[in-house]
Amino acid sequence: MDPRFHSQSPVIAFAGHQRIASGPLCEVVLEAHSWTSRLDAGPVLVFDDLTSQLVEVDYRGSAMDAANRLLPASSSPEAPSEGAGEDTTAEKRGPGRPKMGVVAREVTLLPRHWEWLNQQSGGASVALRKLVEDARKTHADRDRKRQAADAVHRFLHALAGDLPQFEEVTRAFHASDFPRMTELMATWPEGVREHVERLVGRVGA
């Protein structure tokens, strides 16, 4: 997935280790554009606030040029929408079948797995969907914490790798010793430190 499209959620921008803007993507890019010409600012990076994925931004031209380039490709009349592709798939399933937006992909299982699935009410596809939905509900909290931990790890390695005590901070994080992390990050730039602490807070929430 192109990180731009995940950034319906807020984003946060840093120039070097200095936090310069946060909020909706287009607003942040408009603010961050002026920093790209400053020789003392360092690289300008924009992160998805939820996942810490880097958002690719093309800063060429004016600030408005950069913001306009963030428009999804699907807004172009020539580009087929994702929904349209899914409807086509559903329509091929024959009359009377609902347009569920399902996507066909290869699944590799052992013979005994296929045998069990085929014995379930509705067949293999229905059984697999039920299993996935049940797993999503059962492991929702575990998955949320894992994704939050991934966001911390991703941000640390993208922006803090050259900061003091970086290795010790990452060790403390993997040991879930969050007070130790805070202690080790005491000399880090304020914006970086506060953002890491906020991301870590989501892991323990």
Side-chain angles (χ1 to χ4, degrees), residues 112-134:
R112 64 176 182 271
H113 298 150
W114 284 117
E115 182 180 357
W116 182 88
L117 286 169
N118 289 327
Q119 291 172 353
Q120 305 310 303
S121 175
S125 293
V126 172
L128 281 171
R129 290 179 200 139
K130 289 180 179 179
L131 287 171
V132 170
E133 290 301 324
D134 288 345

PDB file of all heavy atoms in Angstrom, residues 112-134:
ATOM      1  N   ARG A 112      -5.753 -32.548   4.595  1.00  0.00           N
ATOM      2  CA  ARG A 112      -6.693 -32.684   5.713  1.00  0.00           C
ATOM      3  C   ARG A 112      -7.372 -31.358   6.032  1.00  0.00           C
ATOM      4  O   ARG A 112      -8.506 -31.335   6.508  1.00  0.00           O
ATOM      5  CB  ARG A 112      -5.988 -33.236   6.952  1.00  0.00           C
ATOM      6  CG  ARG A 112      -4.911 -32.344   7.547  1.00  0.00           C
ATOM      7  CD  ARG A 112      -4.356 -32.949   8.833  1.00  0.00           C
ATOM      8  NE  ARG A 112      -3.352 -32.125   9.467  1.00  0.00           N
ATOM      9  CZ  ARG A 112      -2.051 -32.195   9.194  1.00  0.00           C
ATOM     10  NH1 ARG A 112      -1.610 -33.059   8.278  1.00  0.00           N
ATOM     11  NH2 ARG A 112      -1.192 -31.411   9.823  1.00  0.00           N
ATOM     12  N   HIS A 113      -6.678 -30.229   5.769  1.00  0.00           N
ATOM     13  CA  HIS A 113      -7.282 -28.922   5.994  1.00  0.00           C
ATOM     14  C   HIS A 113      -8.401 -28.670   4.989  1.00  0.00           C
ATOM     15  O   HIS A 113      -9.480 -28.192   5.347  1.00  0.00           O
ATOM     16  CB  HIS A 113      -6.223 -27.815   5.879  1.00  0.00           C
ATOM     17  CG  HIS A 113      -5.134 -27.940   6.893  1.00  0.00           C
ATOM     18  ND1 HIS A 113      -3.847 -27.511   6.655  1.00  0.00           N
ATOM     19  CD2 HIS A 113      -5.130 -28.473   8.137  1.00  0.00           C
ATOM     20  CE1 HIS A 113      -3.095 -27.748   7.719  1.00  0.00           C
ATOM     21  NE2 HIS A 113      -3.854 -28.340   8.624  1.00  0.00           N
ATOM     22  N   TRP A 114      -8.127 -28.980   3.713  1.00  0.00           N
ATOM     23  CA  TRP A 114      -9.157 -28.810   2.684  1.00  0.00           C
ATOM     24  C   TRP A 114     -10.352 -29.714   2.972  1.00  0.00           C
ATOM     25  O   TRP A 114     -11.513 -29.309   2.778  1.00  0.00           O
ATOM     26  CB  TRP A 114      -8.583 -29.124   1.296  1.00  0.00           C
ATOM     27  CG  TRP A 114      -7.716 -28.047   0.744  1.00  0.00           C
ATOM     28  CD1 TRP A 114      -6.389 -28.120   0.436  1.00  0.00           C
ATOM     29  CD2 TRP A 114      -8.110 -26.704   0.428  1.00  0.00           C
ATOM     30  NE1 TRP A 114      -5.928 -26.923  -0.045  1.00  0.00           N
ATOM     31  CE2 TRP A 114      -6.971 -26.028  -0.067  1.00  0.00           C
ATOM     32  CE3 TRP A 114      -9.321 -26.003   0.515  1.00  0.00           C
ATOM     33  CZ2 TRP A 114      -6.983 -24.696  -0.477  1.00  0.00           C
ATOM     34  CZ3 TRP A 114      -9.350 -24.671   0.105  1.00  0.00           C
ATOM     35  CH2 TRP A 114      -8.203 -24.037  -0.373  1.00  0.00           C
ATOM     36  N   GLU A 115     -10.077 -30.933   3.433  1.00  0.00           N
ATOM     37  CA  GLU A 115     -11.175 -31.857   3.733  1.00  0.00           C
ATOM     38  C   GLU A 115     -12.081 -31.292   4.817  1.00  0.00           C
ATOM     39  O   GLU A 115     -13.312 -31.321   4.711  1.00  0.00           O
ATOM     40  CB  GLU A 115     -10.597 -33.204   4.165  1.00  0.00           C
ATOM     41  CG  GLU A 115     -11.656 -34.250   4.462  1.00  0.00           C
ATOM     42  CD  GLU A 115     -11.060 -35.582   4.899  1.00  0.00           C
ATOM     43  OE1 GLU A 115      -9.807 -35.694   4.922  1.00  0.00           O
ATOM     44  OE2 GLU A 115     -11.834 -36.500   5.215  1.00  0.00           O
ATOM     45  N   TRP A 116     -11.454 -30.746   5.867  1.00  0.00           N
ATOM     46  CA  TRP A 116     -12.250 -30.180   6.963  1.00  0.00           C
ATOM     47  C   TRP A 116     -13.047 -28.971   6.485  1.00  0.00           C
ATOM     48  O   TRP A 116     -14.231 -28.831   6.804  1.00  0.00           O
ATOM     49  CB  TRP A 116     -11.326 -29.787   8.120  1.00  0.00           C
ATOM     50  CG  TRP A 116     -12.068 -29.250   9.308  1.00  0.00           C
ATOM     51  CD1 TRP A 116     -12.592 -29.961  10.341  1.00  0.00           C
ATOM     52  CD2 TRP A 116     -12.389 -27.876   9.565  1.00  0.00           C
ATOM     53  NE1 TRP A 116     -13.217 -29.134  11.236  1.00  0.00           N
ATOM     54  CE2 TRP A 116     -13.104 -27.840  10.785  1.00  0.00           C
ATOM     55  CE3 TRP A 116     -12.139 -26.682   8.886  1.00  0.00           C
ATOM     56  CZ2 TRP A 116     -13.574 -26.644  11.332  1.00  0.00           C
ATOM     57  CZ3 TRP A 116     -12.610 -25.494   9.444  1.00  0.00           C
ATOM     58  CH2 TRP A 116     -13.320 -25.481  10.646  1.00  0.00           C
ATOM     59  N   LEU A 117     -12.385 -28.081   5.729  1.00  0.00           N
ATOM     60  CA  LEU A 117     -13.061 -26.878   5.244  1.00  0.00           C
ATOM     61  C   LEU A 117     -14.249 -27.218   4.357  1.00  0.00           C
ATOM     62  O   LEU A 117     -15.316 -26.604   4.457  1.00  0.00           O
ATOM     63  CB  LEU A 117     -12.073 -25.992   4.476  1.00  0.00           C
ATOM     64  CG  LEU A 117     -11.056 -25.221   5.312  1.00  0.00           C
ATOM     65  CD1 LEU A 117      -9.996 -24.608   4.410  1.00  0.00           C
ATOM     66  CD2 LEU A 117     -11.742 -24.149   6.137  1.00  0.00           C
ATOM     67  N   ASN A 118     -14.069 -28.197   3.488  1.00  0.00           N
ATOM     68  CA  ASN A 118     -15.142 -28.551   2.561  1.00  0.00           C
ATOM     69  C   ASN A 118     -16.338 -29.189   3.263  1.00  0.00           C
ATOM     70  O   ASN A 118     -17.437 -29.238   2.708  1.00  0.00           O
ATOM     71  CB  ASN A 118     -14.613 -29.488   1.475  1.00  0.00           C
ATOM     72  CG  ASN A 118     -13.694 -28.766   0.506  1.00  0.00           C
ATOM     73  OD1 ASN A 118     -13.885 -27.582   0.221  1.00  0.00           O
ATOM     74  ND2 ASN A 118     -12.694 -29.483  -0.009  1.00  0.00           N
ATOM     75  N   GLN A 119     -16.120 -29.677   4.471  1.00  0.00           N
ATOM     76  CA  GLN A 119     -17.212 -30.280   5.230  1.00  0.00           C
ATOM     77  C   GLN A 119     -18.037 -29.248   5.993  1.00  0.00           C
ATOM     78  O   GLN A 119     -19.098 -29.576   6.532  1.00  0.00           O
ATOM     79  CB  GLN A 119     -16.655 -31.311   6.219  1.00  0.00           C
ATOM     80  CG  GLN A 119     -16.074 -32.551   5.565  1.00  0.00           C
ATOM     81  CD  GLN A 119     -15.372 -33.446   6.553  1.00  0.00           C
ATOM     82  OE1 GLN A 119     -15.197 -33.086   7.728  1.00  0.00           O
ATOM     83  NE2 GLN A 119     -14.949 -34.631   6.105  1.00  0.00           N
ATOM     84  N   GLN A 120     -17.547 -28.010   6.035  1.00  0.00           N
ATOM     85  CA  GLN A 120     -18.230 -26.972   6.791  1.00  0.00           C
ATOM     86  C   GLN A 120     -19.406 -26.400   5.997  1.00  0.00           C
ATOM     87  O   GLN A 120     -19.408 -26.414   4.769  1.00  0.00           O
ATOM     88  CB  GLN A 120     -17.268 -25.845   7.166  1.00  0.00           C
ATOM     89  CG  GLN A 120     -16.038 -26.309   7.910  1.00  0.00           C
ATOM     90  CD  GLN A 120     -16.370 -27.201   9.084  1.00  0.00           C
ATOM     91  OE1 GLN A 120     -17.120 -26.807   9.983  1.00  0.00           O
ATOM     92  NE2 GLN A 120     -15.828 -28.414   9.088  1.00  0.00           N
ATOM     93  N   SER A 121     -20.368 -25.890   6.714  1.00  0.00           N
ATOM     94  CA  SER A 121     -21.537 -25.296   6.078  1.00  0.00           C
ATOM     95  C   SER A 121     -21.119 -24.104   5.216  1.00  0.00           C
ATOM     96  O   SER A 121     -20.422 -23.209   5.680  1.00  0.00           O
ATOM     97  CB  SER A 121     -22.529 -24.823   7.142  1.00  0.00           C
ATOM     98  OG  SER A 121     -23.624 -24.149   6.560  1.00  0.00           O
ATOM     99  N   GLY A 122     -21.509 -24.121   3.954  1.00  0.00           N
ATOM    100  CA  GLY A 122     -21.163 -23.044   3.042  1.00  0.00           C
ATOM    101  C   GLY A 122     -19.886 -23.300   2.273  1.00  0.00           C
ATOM    102  O   GLY A 122     -19.556 -22.529   1.382  1.00  0.00           O
ATOM    103  N   GLY A 123     -19.162 -24.357   2.637  1.00  0.00           N
ATOM    104  CA  GLY A 123     -17.952 -24.677   1.902  1.00  0.00           C
ATOM    105  C   GLY A 123     -16.716 -23.992   2.443  1.00  0.00           C
ATOM    106  O   GLY A 123     -16.738 -23.295   3.462  1.00  0.00           O
ATOM    107  N   ALA A 124     -15.605 -24.173   1.731  1.00  0.00           N
ATOM    108  CA  ALA A 124     -14.304 -23.712   2.197  1.00  0.00           C
ATOM    109  C   ALA A 124     -14.221 -22.200   2.333  1.00  0.00           C
ATOM    110  O   ALA A 124     -13.697 -21.672   3.318  1.00  0.00           O
ATOM    111  CB  ALA A 124     -13.214 -24.220   1.255  1.00  0.00           C
ATOM    112  N   SER A 125     -14.743 -21.462   1.335  1.00  0.00           N
ATOM    113  CA  SER A 125     -14.613 -20.000   1.361  1.00  0.00           C
ATOM    114  C   SER A 125     -15.332 -19.397   2.549  1.00  0.00           C
ATOM    115  O   SER A 125     -14.803 -18.529   3.260  1.00  0.00           O
ATOM    116  CB  SER A 125     -15.153 -19.406   0.050  1.00  0.00           C
ATOM    117  OG  SER A 125     -14.345 -19.784  -1.040  1.00  0.00           O
ATOM    118  N   VAL A 126     -16.574 -19.839   2.782  1.00  0.00           N
ATOM    119  CA  VAL A 126     -17.350 -19.319   3.911  1.00  0.00           C
ATOM    120  C   VAL A 126     -16.673 -19.666   5.224  1.00  0.00           C
ATOM    121  O   VAL A 126     -16.575 -18.830   6.140  1.00  0.00           O
ATOM    122  CB  VAL A 126     -18.787 -19.870   3.880  1.00  0.00           C
ATOM    123  CG1 VAL A 126     -19.542 -19.488   5.152  1.00  0.00           C
ATOM    124  CG2 VAL A 126     -19.530 -19.352   2.655  1.00  0.00           C
ATOM    125  N   ALA A 127     -16.185 -20.910   5.342  1.00  0.00           N
ATOM    126  CA  ALA A 127     -15.524 -21.331   6.578  1.00  0.00           C
ATOM    127  C   ALA A 127     -14.269 -20.506   6.844  1.00  0.00           C
ATOM    128  O   ALA A 127     -14.006 -20.096   7.980  1.00  0.00           O
ATOM    129  CB  ALA A 127     -15.179 -22.819   6.492  1.00  0.00           C
ATOM    130  N   LEU A 128     -13.488 -20.252   5.807  1.00  0.00           N
ATOM    131  CA  LEU A 128     -12.275 -19.443   5.974  1.00  0.00           C
ATOM    132  C   LEU A 128     -12.610 -18.031   6.415  1.00  0.00           C
ATOM    133  O   LEU A 128     -11.942 -17.460   7.280  1.00  0.00           O
ATOM    134  CB  LEU A 128     -11.481 -19.412   4.667  1.00  0.00           C
ATOM    135  CG  LEU A 128     -10.633 -20.647   4.359  1.00  0.00           C
ATOM    136  CD1 LEU A 128     -10.071 -20.578   2.947  1.00  0.00           C
ATOM    137  CD2 LEU A 128      -9.503 -20.785   5.375  1.00  0.00           C
ATOM    138  N   ARG A 129     -13.641 -17.434   5.829  1.00  0.00           N
ATOM    139  CA  ARG A 129     -14.033 -16.079   6.231  1.00  0.00           C
ATOM    140  C   ARG A 129     -14.430 -16.041   7.699  1.00  0.00           C
ATOM    141  O   ARG A 129     -14.066 -15.114   8.440  1.00  0.00           O
ATOM    142  CB  ARG A 129     -15.188 -15.587   5.366  1.00  0.00           C
ATOM    143  CG  ARG A 129     -14.808 -15.304   3.928  1.00  0.00           C
ATOM    144  CD  ARG A 129     -16.010 -14.846   3.121  1.00  0.00           C
ATOM    145  NE  ARG A 129     -15.771 -15.033   1.698  1.00  0.00           N
ATOM    146  CZ  ARG A 129     -16.652 -15.484   0.833  1.00  0.00           C
ATOM    147  NH1 ARG A 129     -17.867 -15.810   1.236  1.00  0.00           N
ATOM    148  NH2 ARG A 129     -16.355 -15.610  -0.447  1.00  0.00           N
ATOM    149  N   LYS A 130     -15.188 -17.060   8.143  1.00  0.00           N
ATOM    150  CA  LYS A 130     -15.604 -17.099   9.549  1.00  0.00           C
ATOM    151  C   LYS A 130     -14.401 -17.249  10.462  1.00  0.00           C
ATOM    152  O   LYS A 130     -14.320 -16.609  11.521  1.00  0.00           O
ATOM    153  CB  LYS A 130     -16.589 -18.247   9.762  1.00  0.00           C
ATOM    154  CG  LYS A 130     -17.958 -18.025   9.139  1.00  0.00           C
ATOM    155  CD  LYS A 130     -18.877 -19.208   9.399  1.00  0.00           C
ATOM    156  CE  LYS A 130     -20.251 -18.972   8.807  1.00  0.00           C
ATOM    157  NZ  LYS A 130     -21.157 -20.143   9.037  1.00  0.00           N
ATOM    158  N   LEU A 131     -13.455 -18.106  10.069  1.00  0.00           N
ATOM    159  CA  LEU A 131     -12.255 -18.298  10.889  1.00  0.00           C
ATOM    160  C   LEU A 131     -11.455 -17.005  11.020  1.00  0.00           C
ATOM    161  O   LEU A 131     -10.968 -16.668  12.098  1.00  0.00           O
ATOM    162  CB  LEU A 131     -11.378 -19.399  10.274  1.00  0.00           C
ATOM    163  CG  LEU A 131     -11.880 -20.832  10.408  1.00  0.00           C
ATOM    164  CD1 LEU A 131     -11.023 -21.771   9.569  1.00  0.00           C
ATOM    165  CD2 LEU A 131     -11.880 -21.278  11.866  1.00  0.00           C
ATOM    166  N   VAL A 132     -11.330 -16.287   9.896  1.00  0.00           N
ATOM    167  CA  VAL A 132     -10.573 -15.032   9.917  1.00  0.00           C
ATOM    168  C   VAL A 132     -11.272 -13.995  10.793  1.00  0.00           C
ATOM    169  O   VAL A 132     -10.628 -13.307  11.607  1.00  0.00           O
ATOM    170  CB  VAL A 132     -10.379 -14.488   8.491  1.00  0.00           C
ATOM    171  CG1 VAL A 132      -9.810 -13.079   8.522  1.00  0.00           C
ATOM    172  CG2 VAL A 132      -9.460 -15.406   7.685  1.00  0.00           C
ATOM    173  N   GLU A 133     -12.595 -13.874  10.647  1.00  0.00           N
ATOM    174  CA  GLU A 133     -13.323 -12.886  11.448  1.00  0.00           C
ATOM    175  C   GLU A 133     -13.251 -13.217  12.927  1.00  0.00           C
ATOM    176  O   GLU A 133     -13.092 -12.332  13.773  1.00  0.00           O
ATOM    177  CB  GLU A 133     -14.789 -12.817  10.986  1.00  0.00           C
ATOM    178  CG  GLU A 133     -14.976 -12.194   9.610  1.00  0.00           C
ATOM    179  CD  GLU A 133     -14.445 -10.776   9.544  1.00  0.00           C
ATOM    180  OE1 GLU A 133     -14.559 -10.033  10.540  1.00  0.00           O
ATOM    181  OE2 GLU A 133     -13.891 -10.407   8.492  1.00  0.00           O
ATOM    182  N   ASP A 134     -13.368 -14.502  13.267  1.00  0.00           N
ATOM    183  CA  ASP A 134     -13.261 -14.910  14.671  1.00  0.00           C
ATOM    184  C   ASP A 134     -11.875 -14.599  15.225  1.00  0.00           C
ATOM    185  O   ASP A 134     -11.728 -14.131  16.361  1.00  0.00           O
ATOM    186  CB  ASP A 134     -13.547 -16.413  14.820  1.00  0.00           C
ATOM    187  CG  ASP A 134     -15.013 -16.751  14.618  1.00  0.00           C
ATOM    188  OD1 ASP A 134     -15.840 -15.821  14.647  1.00  0.00           O
ATOM    189  OD2 ASP A 134     -15.321 -17.946  14.411  1.00  0.00           O
TER     190      ASP A 134
END
